[in-house]
Amino acid sequence: MKKKVVVALGHRALGTTLPEQMVAVKKTAVSIADLIEEGYQVIITHSNAPQLGMIHTAMNEFGKLHEEYTAAPMSVCSAMSQGYIGYDLQNAIREELLNRGIFRTVSTLITQVTVDPYDEAFYTPTKVLGRIMNAEDAAAERKKGNYVVEVPGQGFRRVVASPNPVDIVEIDAIRALVDAGQVVIACGGGGIPVLQQNNHLKGASAVIEKDLAAGKLAEQIDADELIILTSVDKVRINLDTEAEEKLGEITVEQAKQYMEEGHFGIYNMLPKFQASVAFIEKREGRSALITSLESLKESLKGRNGTIIR
């Protein structure tokens, strides 16, 4: 094996609807198979925002229409999204590998990630998702203790916290599968956020930033490289100004400086840089690559992408 790499797939690698996802994962599988064919040991994680919103909306609307059923908690919806995204991904990757004569088991692991109950994020929730509600439904949600915001021209929507990942519950299982030479899909959507209560794990009404979870996963399996796939081939600073610049290879110190200068949006590039820097600083010799799925092959040769060392 050349390197052990964690690949974090963004929204474009999965699509939004069921038909879009079926098409998108086939293209994604080609890039993943290219990595494996080159000798990389690959562990995959992925986003889930559109899928989670769809599941949460569907389950809650169903519960409203049928009194004998209840609405599904956010943690359960997160588990569902991991299952069905993983199902499509693992089948597409398996098929692509077999077409190339590569026999490798691909496994999806439903993954829980512990969070700190005192994380500041629980006091200032920021992630908007789920169904659009009227004022009456919004009031009912607030009575349950949930946060709701008004979306101008649409209605009301739930807002949940985005706490930092603390620990991956199933990390030993992930390591065992990786050591067995399997292609592993884990920590989908940032993992299912859970609160440790003695031996009980309680699902939290939250969504973990998937890039931060990808960095935690890469750290805990002692990966050599973190690859974050997004919508651009290279990260830009001074965006939409005459001084706009694409970043090629940069140091950790430069990455920290750009973050401090506020070049990256809180919900866009900033978590990618935070995850990359934290991962690299844990051990010498590590690197991180931020690029698009389409530019991955060229980026691995040093011809594209933003590389942090």
Side-chain angles (χ1 to χ4, degrees):
M1 292 291 179
K2 282 186 177 180
K3 284 182 178 179
K4 186 189 295 182
V5 299
V6 168
V7 180
L9 302 173
H11 163 67
R12 291 184 65 183
L14 300 173
T16 300
T17 65
L18 285 168
E20 280 182 11
Q21 183 168 296
M22 289 294 291
V23 173
V25 294
K26 289 184 180 296
K27 295 179 181 178
T28 300
V30 172
S31 294
I32 298 298
D34 286 344
L35 281 173
I36 295 166
E37 198 166 39
E38 287 292 321
Y40 289 93
Q41 190 174 16
V42 179
I43 303 90
I44 301 161
T45 187
H46 57 79
S47 65
N48 74 338
Q51 292 86 351
L52 178 61
M54 177 183 68
I55 293 168
H56 186 259
T57 299
M59 296 301 293
N60 280 278
E61 289 298 323
F62 187 80
K64 282 177 60 182
L65 294 173
H66 302 274
E67 292 183 0
E68 64 273 26
Y69 291 94
T70 59
M74 194 68 67
S75 56
V76 172
C77 295
S78 180
M80 290 180 179
S81 73
Q82 284 190 11
Y84 104 80
I85 293 172
Y87 165 69
D88 280 346
L89 264 178
Q90 71 182 32
N91 283 343
I93 294 168
R94 174 185 178 274
E95 181 179 341
E96 182 64 29
L97 290 174
L98 288 174
N99 288 342
R100 301 184 188 201
I102 301 172
F103 299 90
R104 193 74 55 83
T105 302
V106 186
S107 301
T108 298
L109 193 65
I110 303 300
T111 318
Q112 302 171 96
V113 176
T114 58
V115 296
D116 183 351
Y118 300 106
D119 192 306
E120 286 295 324
F122 285 111
Y123 304 101
T124 54
T126 56
K127 290 278 188 179
V128 180
L129 58 85
R131 64 194 178 104
I132 296 173
M133 300 175 283
N134 58 31
E136 183 180 352
D137 288 343
E141 286 295 327
R142 290 192 179 102
K143 283 184 179 179
K144 296 177 189 176
N146 295 324
Y147 288 85
V148 178
V149 295
E150 185 171 3
V151 182
Q154 295 184 33
F156 300 85
R157 296 184 73 188
R158 275 281 304 277
V159 186
V160 298
S162 184
N164 287 319
V166 174
D167 194 24
I168 298 170
V169 177
E170 289 79 18
I171 193 63
D172 288 338
I174 296 170
R175 288 180 185 136
L177 292 172
V178 172
D179 290 345
Q182 296 195 22
V183 180
V184 183
I185 302 166
C187 293
I192 303 163
V194 292
L195 302 169
Q196 183 85 43
Q197 299 178 340
N198 295 320
N199 291 330
H200 177 64
L201 296 174
K202 177 179 174 57
S205 185
V207 176
I208 298 171
E209 172 58 55
K210 64 96 178 168
D211 293 318
L212 298 181
K216 179 65 70 174
L217 174 61
E219 173 197 327
Q220 293 197 327
I221 63 167
D222 195 24
D224 299 296
E225 186 170 6
L226 172 62
I227 299 175
I228 300 177
L229 300 180
T230 185
S231 58
V232 295
D233 60 342
K234 287 185 177 182
V235 180
R236 294 162 173 79
I237 58 172
N238 300 313
L239 198 62
D240 298 327
T241 70
E242 291 183 358
E244 182 171 313
E245 176 187 354
K246 289 185 176 183
L247 299 178
E249 183 169 331
I250 62 173
T251 65
V252 167
E253 288 69 29
Q254 287 174 303
K256 287 180 176 179
Q257 179 185 336
Y258 295 140
M259 286 192 288
E260 289 173 4
E261 291 173 352
H263 287 283
F264 313 121
I266 295 175
Y267 309 114
N268 188 11
M269 286 298 168
L270 184 58
K272 295 172 175 51
F273 272 72
Q274 290 172 328
S276 298
V277 168
F279 165 67
I280 293 168
E281 288 190 321
K282 288 292 192 299
R283 175 170 67 77
E284 288 186 9
R286 288 176 170 173
S287 62
L289 167 65
I290 304 173
T291 191
S292 65
L293 184 68
E294 296 79 7
S295 302
L296 178 58
K297 186 177 285 190
E298 289 297 299
S299 298
L300 289 170
K301 297 174 182 176
R303 300 172 186 167
N304 208 336
T306 298
I307 302 168
I308 308 170
R309 297 191 192 278

